[in-house]
C-alpha cells in the first residue's frame, strides 16, 4: 500500500463514526484516495456530507500513522491478505434495518505478531461481566486454557473481569489471544489493564476500528462488540448480569449466525443471571467445559475439529527446507538445537532453511524458538 | 369397601412384585375377591402362576391391615374417590415393551390427612441426589417454599439430601407434601428420616405400593420413582450426580409426558453434573425459581396458574353458611374469632355453619383454626 493510499484510509477511518455504509460504498466505487478527496472537497451526497461535516477538515492521518508506526502496528483493509473476510461475511446476512451497525469495518488498526485472518479462522470469543466472581474467573481461565490447548485462539474485549481473565489465561498457556478495543490502540482501556493489553499486543493481537487517540464511548463499546462476536466462531458467555455488554455480544453472535454458549452458575449468584436467561430463552447452549465448545463449533460446520499442517506450499521446498519443516513441532516451539536434533542436521545448517521457511511464512521465530506458522 | 374385598386387595398387594400386568388384568376382568381366590387356588395362567408361585400361600392380609389400621392409614384402589386417575393416565401412553413397569399400581397404602387425588392435581416433584451440597439444600428449600406459597404440593421420595430438604421446607411453610416410599409405611427409610416421615404422615401424605413390613430394594426404588414422576405435574431436579436416582425419576417424568426442570449450579460441583446434562441434552428446562416451574406447568396446559374456590357447591349453602364460607381466607387459616369478625357474626353463631362446611368438605379444621378445603 503506497503512502498516499495509506493516508487516505487513515483519513477515512477518522472522518465519520464507523461503520459508515456511505463511505464504504464510495470507497468501493472509487477507491480510498478518490473517496477521501471527494469528502475533503465536500463533493459528496447530502447524507455523507452531513456525516462528515464535523471532521472533514480534521486531517490527522499523518500523525495517526506516525503513532501507529512507532507502536509497530499496521493499518489493514480489505485489500490486505490478513483481512478476515470469512469472519465478516456474516454481516451480509444481517437485516441492516434492524442492526444498522452490521457492517464490516472500513479499516482495522492492528498490533501484534499474529495474522488476524488466520487467528480468527480458529477462535472463540469469551466474554462476560466486569463484576466477575472468583467462580467466574476460575471458569474463564479453565475454558481459555482448554481452548488454547486445542489450538483455538481466545477473542475478548480487554475489560476487567471475565475478559481480562480470558486474555490472561490464554497468554499463560502460550496461546493466541485477540483483544478488540473500543478505543485507539494507544489508549489502553481500562487503564488498569495497560500491562495486560501490552502483553496481548506483543504476543497476540490488539485490534481497533478507531484511530489512535480515540477514547472509548458507550456507543463504541456496543459497536466493538459486533467485532468480538464476528471474530469468534462461537461466543461463550461465562458470567453476565441482567443487562450486560456480554448479552449484547451474545445477541450479535446470534445475529451473525454464530454459536452462542453460556456457562451456568449458582442460581444464587447475580453474576450468572444473564447466562441462565440465555439458556432458558433457547439463545445459548449450556456448556461446562472447553471440549463442549469445540463440539458446538464442529456441529456448526464452520470448523474442522483439528487443523492440518499447511500442505499447499510444501512442494516448493528444497530437501533441507523440507527436513527442517518436518522437524518443527506440531504444537509449541523448539530451539534451533532441538530442531537440529530432530532434523538430524548440524545446528549451523538448519539456520538458512529456517530463514527461508520464515520468508515463505511457514515458520515463525518467537523468543528465540521456532514454531510452525498458524497460517 | 367390605372387609373381604379389602383383604383380597391386601393379599394381591403382596402376592407378586408390583406392578404386575397379569394381576391387574385378572382383577379388571373378575374383581379383586375372585382374582385373589383364583391365585390362591392356582387356577391361573402359567405366567401368573409363576409370578405368584413363591407367595401365593403367604396370606398376611389380616395382619397387614391391622398394622395399617393401628397407624391410622388406609388402603386405596381405583374404586376409591381418592385414587389419582389423572396422575396415572399417562402410564397408558408409555411403550410397555420399553418400560414394563409403566403401569398404575394395583393398590396404594396411604397415611395422612390429605386426599391423594386432590394433592397430586396440583403438585411438583422435587428430587435430587442424597449427596446434596449446602447450595442444593438451600435451593431446594427455596423452591419448595415458593411452590407451597403458590398452593402447589411438593412430592418427593423421602431420601437424605434433596428429598428430605424438599419435604422439610414444605412442612415448614405449612404446605402439603407427599413422600412416596419404596418400603412399607411402617418401615421408615432411611431410618434417620423416621421423625421427618412421621411428620409427613401427620400433615401431608405417606404413600407406598408395598404392604407393611416391606424393606426397600434397589428394584423397588426404581419402581417407586415412576410414582414420584407421575404424582408431580412437573419434576424438578435440583442436584444430581452423573448416574443418579434423580435422573431415573426425570426419565420417568419425560416418558410420562411431564415437564422436567433442572436447576443449574457451579460447573465445578459434581452434584450439579446431572442437572447440566439434562439441560444440555434438551431433556430438562433450566429453572432458577419456583415461579418458573409454575410457568412451565402452565405451558403444559395441564394446570391452571391459580386455583379457583370451589364454586359447584356454593349454591347448596344457606345464608349463614355462605357468609362463613366467604369469611374463610384465600390462603392460610383463621381462628373462629377471626372468622366471626370477618363474617360480622357472633363467634357462637359461626360454629354450626363451620361444622356444616366441614361435613360438606368445603372447610377443614386444623390445629384449632379453619381453612378452605383444597378440594
Amino acid at each position: 500500500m503506497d503512502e498516499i493510499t495509506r493516508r487516505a484510509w487513515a483519513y477515512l477511518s477518522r472522518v465519520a463514526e464507523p461503520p459508515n455504509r456511505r463511505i464504504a460504498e464510495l470507497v468501493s466505487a472509487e477507491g480510498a484516495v478518490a473517496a477521501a478527496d471527494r469528502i475533503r472537497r465536500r463533493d459528496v451526497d447530502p447524507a455523507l456530507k452531513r456525516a462528515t461535516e464535523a471532521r472533514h477538515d480534521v486531517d490527522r492521518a499523518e500523525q495517526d500513522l506516525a503513532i501507529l508506526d512507532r507502536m509497530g502496528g499496521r493499518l489493514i483493509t480489505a485489500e490486505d491478505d490478513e483481512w478476515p473476510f470469512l469472519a465478516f461475511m456474516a454481516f451480509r446476512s444481517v437485516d441492516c434495518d434492524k442492526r444498522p451497525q452490521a457492517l464490516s469495518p472500513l479499516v482495522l488498526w492492528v498490533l501484534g505478531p499474529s495474522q488476524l485472518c488466520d487467528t480468527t479462522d480458529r477462535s472463540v470469543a469469551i466474554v462476560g461481566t466486569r463484576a466477575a466472581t472468583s467462580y467466574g474467573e476460575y471458569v474463564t481461565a479453565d475454558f481459555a486454557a482448554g481452548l488454547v490447548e486445542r489450538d483455538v485462539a481466545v477473542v475478548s474485549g480487554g475489560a476487567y473481569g471475565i475478559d481480562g481473565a480470558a486474555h490472561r489465561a490464554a497468554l499463560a498457556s502460550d496461546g493466541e489471544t485477540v483483544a478488540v478495543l473500543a478505543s485507539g490502540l494507544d489508549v489502553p482501556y481500562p487503564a488498569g489493564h495497560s500491562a495486560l493489553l501490552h502483553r496481548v499486543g506483543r504476543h497476540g493481537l490488539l485490534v481497533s476500528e478507531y484511530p489512535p487517540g480515540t477514547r472509548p464511548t458507550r456507543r463504541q463499546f456496543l459497536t466493538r462488540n459486533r467485532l468480538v462476536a464476528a471474530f469468534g466462531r462461537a461466543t461463550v458467555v461465562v458470567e453476565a448480569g441482567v443487562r450486560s455488554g456480554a448479552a449484547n455480544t451474545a445477541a450479535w453472535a446470534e445475529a451473525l449466525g454464530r454459536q452462542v454458549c453460556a456457562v451456568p452458575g449458582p442460581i444464587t449468584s447475580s453474576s450468572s443471571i444473564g447466562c441462565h436467561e440465555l439458556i432458558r430463552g433457547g439463545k445459548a447452549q449450556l456448556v461446562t467445559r472447553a471440549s463442549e465448545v469445540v463440539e458446538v463449533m464442529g456441529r456448526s460446520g464452520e470448523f474442522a475439529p483439528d487443523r492440518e499442517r499447511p500442505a499447499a506450499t510444501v512442494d516448493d521446498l528444497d530437501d533441507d527446507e523440507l527436513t527442517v519443516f518436518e522437524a518443527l513441532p506440531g504444537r509449541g516451539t523448539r530451539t534451533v538445537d532441538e530442531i537440529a536434533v530432530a532434523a538430524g542436521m548440524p545446528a549451523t545448517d538448519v539456520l538458512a532453511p529456517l530463514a527461508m521457511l520464515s520468508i515463505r511464512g511457514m515458520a515463525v521465530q518467537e523468543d528465540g524458538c521456532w514454531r510452525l506458522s498458524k497460517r
Side-chain angles (χ1 to χ4, degrees), chain A residues 184-201:
Chain A
L185 292 184
D186 60 336
V187 183
Y189 184 91
H193 272 182
S194 294
L196 174 61
L197 294 173
H198 182 73
R199 283 168 62 213
V200 172

Side-chain angles (χ1 to χ4, degrees), chain A residues 14-365:
Chain A
R14 185 182 282 282
V15 75
E17 185 73 20
N20 185 293
R21 179 177 301 278
R22 289 198 166 77
I23 295 184
E25 284 165 356
L26 186 62
V27 168
S28 165
E30 310 195 5
V33 175
D37 198 43
R38 283 185 53 177
I39 290 171
R40 266 194 210 95
R41 288 189 286 108
R42 317 308 295 136
D43 178 21
V44 288
D45 68 62
L48 186 48
K49 211 167 185 172
R50 216 174 312 120
T52 56
E53 186 62 52
R55 302 194 203 148
H56 73 276
D57 56 359
V58 182
D59 191 348
R60 289 197 33 184
E62 203 177 341
Q63 297 96 305
D64 287 345
L65 291 168
I67 294 170
L68 183 71
D69 291 344
R70 267 203 304 281
M71 295 180 76
R74 58 202 184 269
L75 183 150
I76 65 170
T77 72
E79 292 173 3
D80 287 275
D81 288 347
E82 191 184 349
W83 192 253
F85 281 105
L86 199 66
F88 293 155
M89 202 131 68
F91 285 126
R92 296 189 199 167
S93 57
V94 180
D95 181 350
C96 286
D97 291 336
K98 280 191 193 154
R99 292 183 170 270
Q101 320 260 286
L103 293 170
S104 286
L106 193 67
V107 309
L108 287 173
W109 305 76
V110 177
L111 175 66
S114 301
Q115 295 284 297
L116 184 59
C117 172
D118 297 340
T119 303
T120 56
D121 254 12
R122 189 175 174 87
S123 60
V124 161
I126 298 183
V127 297
T129 181
R130 283 167 293 167
T133 65
S134 56
Y135 166 73
E137 293 191 348
Y138 172 84
V139 167
T140 302
D142 190 47
F143 272 72
L147 289 169
V148 157
E149 202 175 283
R150 289 167 177 80
D151 207 13
V152 174
V154 173
V155 180
S156 196
Y160 286 133
I162 302 300
D163 289 21
H167 293 304
R168 259 190 297 272
L171 289 169
S173 299
D174 206 17
E176 286 200 86
T177 189
V178 180
V180 188
L181 304 182
S183 55
L185 292 184
D186 60 336
V187 183
Y189 184 91
H193 272 182
S194 294
L196 174 61
L197 294 173
H198 182 73
R199 283 168 62 213
V200 172
R202 272 202 52 182
H203 300 286
L205 283 173
L206 283 185
V207 179
S208 176
E209 200 172 0
Y210 302 99
T214 312
R215 315 211 138 266
T217 65
R218 182 169 160 73
R219 181 185 193 282
Q220 286 164 213
F221 282 118
L222 296 174
T223 306
R224 181 274 314 266
N225 288 346
R226 86 189 193 291
L227 298 182
V228 173
F231 288 155
R233 291 282 144 277
T235 290
V236 180
V237 184
V238 180
E239 283 191 319
V242 183
R243 285 182 162 272
S244 60
N248 175 257
T249 307
W252 269 116
E254 194 193 9
L256 296 174
R258 301 285 198 266
Q259 299 285 337
V260 181
C261 303
V263 180
I267 61 170
T268 46
S269 163
S270 61
S271 298
S272 286
I273 291 177
C275 293
H276 296 152
E277 277 183 356
L278 286 168
I279 298 165
R280 271 178 62 72
K283 291 184 182 301
Q285 165 80 47
L286 184 154
V287 291
T288 64
R289 55 176 82 100
S291 63
E292 291 168 358
V293 177
V294 173
E295 194 185 299
V296 161
M297 294 163 74
R299 275 208 300 278
S300 81
E302 288 180 352
F303 184 85
D306 268 305
R307 186 188 194 82
E308 289 179 329
R309 289 190 172 203
T313 49
V314 170
D315 292 343
D316 303 325
L317 305 182
D318 70 27
D319 277 356
D320 279 358
E321 287 163 13
L322 187 58
T323 307
V324 170
F325 179 76
E326 300 283 1
L328 290 168
R331 289 188 200 285
T333 61
R334 273 183 179 164
T335 63
V336 171
D337 287 340
E338 288 168 341
I339 294 167
V341 170
M345 290 162 68
T348 47
D349 287 6
V350 305
L351 291 174
L354 278 173
M356 279 308 296
L357 289 170
S358 171
I359 288 164
R360 292 179 195 273
M362 296 174 72
V364 174
Q365 190 177 8

